[in-house]
């Protein structure tokens, strides 16, 4: 006889792992419609990937659907959540707002499960950053108990789906105090453009529905009628084949990486690719187990597509700090190219007789002059480079990146500073010389042509 296990807790647990309708109804009226819709397939596959974290030792983290209002973001969360539960007043999906008040309780309650967090817009940037970090790190704050003894911090392991109009990075920058999302945060919560580019918001295939609007409304309604069965059916198959999970998933993720992750990708990129691979593996496993009514390959295609969209939006395969450094310098010159750089040489203003005119530059960071081959060069003094242009970043690392990309002149020894004679300085001084090209070119080309799928 099967062993009966009773879980006894201190109080009632406010969970949403209820069920209604049937698994067949869910497959027919909800899951089937995800086919051909990369975001829906990814969201549903993520629902099944959560219980794979434990047997495979994969790290916690999440996907964030970012995009304009009424494009189907919350719908995608509702659809994915219906694999796990629903009902009650709120259904399975939680909000960022509610989570910021009780993150530890909510996160531990979703341990090894999917957590859906809607509406990042409801919390401020700093809070969003902290929640994302904590959720993905899997541990809460240690607190004192009523008797003053240290109470162990809550721990969890989960995957989450989130939605909002801004990306986490933009959200964190939103408060205007110059905060930036750390690269670590951007790896933990992977930002996916909600718009799939087919002119129908998050959707690509409406399966005969007259409009994206009608399709979204159907999905939400059907997910409210059939929910909570799929996760149980999937967990059953996992339990029956527990020892095979880790090796199977690993082989699958390796294959996914080989096919989709550019070979020259930075560690941050391959870490994110591995998360997409895990999700693809989960979708394929649930398909094989007949929990998802999809053809084999559907989950993999969707994960690969979303990974490509993430990579294209990220702007390349180099570490996020590098693209951020280039963007920061570019932004500084765009904003202050004329106001904070004193013109020198033939750019310097002259009076009617060709004599020099005194320039009033407040908070000068350097000079600008005509380059040998035409164009304008910006020369930044070392102190201003560190404290103004690269404020908040590792200035030496930014200089190295720019030099490597041809956005900074180097001296004969390859150093990214060049000795130059500047007006008002008795001797030649070392400064950073930035060609105007840095303004002309768009963000680094989306993904090198070398990657196997591109
Ligand atoms: N792709 C779409 N095209 C047109 N209308 C849509 C689309 N997706 C959703 N809608 C309509 O918008 C309503 C809200 O959908 P949903 O909650 O998924 O949007 P959302 O992207 O989360 O928006 P918000 O950012 O405002 O929360 C749906 O009930 C539907 O009527
Ligand atoms: Mg919404």
């Amino acid at each position: 006889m099967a062993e009966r296990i009773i879980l006894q807790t201190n109080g009632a647990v406010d969970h949403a792992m209820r069920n209604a309708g049937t698994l067949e109804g869910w497959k027919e009226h909800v899951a089937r419609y995800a086919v051909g819709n990369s975001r829906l397939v990814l969201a549903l596959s993520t629902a099944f990937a959560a219980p794979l974290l434990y047997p495979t030792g994969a790290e916690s983290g999440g996907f964030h659907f970012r995009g304009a209002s009424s494009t189907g973001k919350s719908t995608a969360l509702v659809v994915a959540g219906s694999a796990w539960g629903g009902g009650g007043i709120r259904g399975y999906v939680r909000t960022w707002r509610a989570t910021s008040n009780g993150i530890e309780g909510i996160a531990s309650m979703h341990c090894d499960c999917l957590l859906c967090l809607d509406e990042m817009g409801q919390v401020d940037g700093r809070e969003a950053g902290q929640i994302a970090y904590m959720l993905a790190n899997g541990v809460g704050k240690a607190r004192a108990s009523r008797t003053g003894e240290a109470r162990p911090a809550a721990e969890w392991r989960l995957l989450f789906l989130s939605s909002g109009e801004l990306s986490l990075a933009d959200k964190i920058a939103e408060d205007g105090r110059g905060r930036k999302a750390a690269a670590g945060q951007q790896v933990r919560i992977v930002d996916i453009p909600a718009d799939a580019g087919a002119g129908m918001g998050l959707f690509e295939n409406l399966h005969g529905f007259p409009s994206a609007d009608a399709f979204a409304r159907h999905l939400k309604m059907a997910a409210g009628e059939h929910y909570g069965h799929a996760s149980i059916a999937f967990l059953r198959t996992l339990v029956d084949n527990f020892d095979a999970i880790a090796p199977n998933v690993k082989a699958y993720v390796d294959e996914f990486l080989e096919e989709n992750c550019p070979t020259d990708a930075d560690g941050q990129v391959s870490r994110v690719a591995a998360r997409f691979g895990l999700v693809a593996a989960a979708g394929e496993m649930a398909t094989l187990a007949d929990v998802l009514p999809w053809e084999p390959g559907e989950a993999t295609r969707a994960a690969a597509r979303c990974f490509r969209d993430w990579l294209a939006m990220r702007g390349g395969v180099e570490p996020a700090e590098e693209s951020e450094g280039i963007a920061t310098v570019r932004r500084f010159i765009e904003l202050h190219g004329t106001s904070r750089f004193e013109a020198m040489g033939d750019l310097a203003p002259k009076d009617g007789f060709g004599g020099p005119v005194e320039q009033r530059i407040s908070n000068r960071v350097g000079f600008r002059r005509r380059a040998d081959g035409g164009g304008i060069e910006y020369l930044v003094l070392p102190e201003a480079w560190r404290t103004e242009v690269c404020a908040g970043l590792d200035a030496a690392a930014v200089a190295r990146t720019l030099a490597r990309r041809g956005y900074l002149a180097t001296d004969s020894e390859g150093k990214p500073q060049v000795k130059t004679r500047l007006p008002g300085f008795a001797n030649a001084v070392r400064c950073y010389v930035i060609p105007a090209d840095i303004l002309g070119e768009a963000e680094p080309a989306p993904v090198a042509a070398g990657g196997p799928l591109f």
Side-chain angles (χ1 to χ4, degrees), residues 14-302:
D14 172 32
H15 68 83
M17 280 151 194
R18 294 170 281 244
N19 55 48
T22 60
L23 177 61
E24 285 315 310
W26 181 80
K27 284 157 71 173
E28 175 66 21
H29 300 290
V30 183
R32 178 165 73 90
Y33 291 118
V35 170
N37 289 298
S38 57
R39 274 66 175 158
L40 291 179
V41 168
L42 183 87
L44 266 173
S45 303
T46 304
F48 297 103
L52 298 182
L53 295 179
Y54 167 59
T56 62
E59 54 185 7
S60 295
F63 294 104
H64 174 68
F65 290 114
R66 173 190 55 86
S69 176
S70 306
T71 45
K73 303 183 298 294
S74 300
T75 306
L77 266 52
V78 168
V79 165
S82 69
W84 282 94
I89 292 174
R90 290 169 308 177
Y92 189 81
V93 176
R94 305 277 173 146
T95 62
W96 277 84
R97 173 85 274 148
T99 304
S100 76
N101 296 333
I103 176 169
E104 301 183 15
I106 289 182
S108 6
M109 205 158 62
H110 289 79
C111 187
D112 292 313
C113 305
L114 175 74
L115 171 63
C116 297
L117 292 182
D118 208 9
E119 299 289 345
M120 190 192 271
Q122 290 177 344
V123 295
D124 75 28
R126 215 167 70 91
E127 234 179 328
Q130 284 170 350
I131 295 175
Y133 223 93
M134 224 175 173
L135 279 180
N137 279 344
V139 30
K141 295 190 193 104
R143 290 216 169 79
S145 71
R146 253 180 272 162
T147 59
E149 287 162 44
R151 214 170 44 186
E155 291 184 319
W156 56 82
R157 191 172 39 219
L158 54 77
L159 286 181
F160 62 95
L161 289 173
S162 150
S163 84
E165 296 199 14
L166 298 177
S167 69
L168 179 69
D170 291 342
K171 183 78 199 159
I172 290 175
E174 189 188 47
D175 71 2
R177 277 175 277 176
R179 288 206 183 88
K180 297 193 174 80
Q185 271 161 325
Q186 297 179 40
V187 172
R188 286 170 171 83
I189 172 161
V190 176
D191 200 47
I192 300 172
D195 193 326
M200 297 183 283
L202 184 131
F203 311 118
E204 295 149 280
N205 179 348
L206 300 182
H207 293 267
F209 278 86
S211 65
D213 174 60
F215 187 57
R217 280 186 282 118
H218 164 82
L219 287 173
K220 271 191 177 163
M221 197 190 66
E225 283 171 13
H226 302 277
Y227 53 82
H229 301 282
S231 57
I232 295 174
F234 185 62
L235 289 172
R236 274 205 187 100
T237 70
L238 289 187
V239 170
D240 289 344
N241 304 286
F242 197 79
D243 294 338
I245 298 173
N248 283 350
V249 171
K250 180 175 182 318
Y252 193 87
V253 172
D254 287 348
E255 194 183 320
F256 185 89
L257 287 174
E258 197 169 304
E259 280 177 20
N260 295 285
C261 189
T263 43
D264 57 346
D266 167 71
Q268 292 164 9
V269 172
S270 44
R271 213 165 133 192
V272 169
R275 164 115 31 88
F276 279 99
L278 177 78
V279 165
E284 298 299 342
M285 284 163 74
T287 302
L288 275 181
D290 198 26
V291 175
L292 283 168
W294 303 342
E295 293 294 320
E298 182 73 36
T300 309
R301 261 196 310 281

Side-chain angles (χ1 to χ4, degrees), residues 403 408-419 430-431 433:
L408 203 59
T410 47
D411 69 5
S412 53
E413 290 167 20
K415 288 216 184 90
Q417 291 181 351
V418 184
K419 266 197 160 174
R430 287 201 161 272
C431 60
V433 181

